Amino acid sequence: MALGIDIISDVVCPWCFIGKRRIEAALELYRARRPDAPAPAVVWHPFQLNPDMPPEGVDRDEYVRRKFGAERAGQVYGRITAVGREVGIPFDFTKVTRQPNTLASHSLIALAIDAGMQDAVVEALFRAFFVEGKDLTSADTLAEVAAGAGLDASDVKAFLASGNARAHVQAEDKQARKDGVEGVPFFVFNKRIAVSGAQEPGVLLEAMLEAEKEPAPSAAE
């Protein structure tokens, strides 16, 4: 049985982008440690850092001032930028002008599951927001980003217009909170071992190996 890895995250969470790089590094370590094991099955799940964000989003500078205060924001993003450089992410917060509601972004990540393209879509959304400063409140921008990651453009447009898709995202978000998730990224290995935060690859690897010691619970458990 392949190791199952569930990742709960938000596309506007910089530590989630860092966490993506660290789980990628952990997977490389896992492959070196367990060369004969099947590739782990990674699934991304939604979490909204700002579930009450209006659909049109808010001005990014205003959002940052409210959340951190101008002085502390510089310290926080300075640290994130430094860690980003360590893992190969060229964060550019100066380009971000709009703080979006992320329901639509998460619906596209859900769409990508059946196509086996979740990783590509998650990566594209992270880069669009944190590196290119694209406005993720724009349906046209989201469609362009998702199609660029390999999803069918017509499917993307239909999904973006689907209220059912967004309702599913909201339900998953609420379930994560009910299960005790308070911050992201949040990793669950084989539905047995949970790790909160963008931990170092070695920490994630140890959790992966520990989770393999017993099988994942069945759907009935």
Side-chain angles (χ1 to χ4, degrees), residues 59-61 64 73-74 77-78 80-81 85 90-99 127-135:
D59 177 79
R60 171 73 175 187
D61 289 341
V64 170
Y77 289 121
I80 291 170
T81 300
R85 281 196 295 268
F91 284 110
D92 190 346
F93 293 102
T94 65
K95 290 182 178 178
V96 182
T97 61
R98 198 91 190 146
Q99 187 70 22
R127 291 192 65 83
F129 186 69
F130 287 114
V131 179
E132 300 164 4
K134 291 188 176 180
D135 180 5

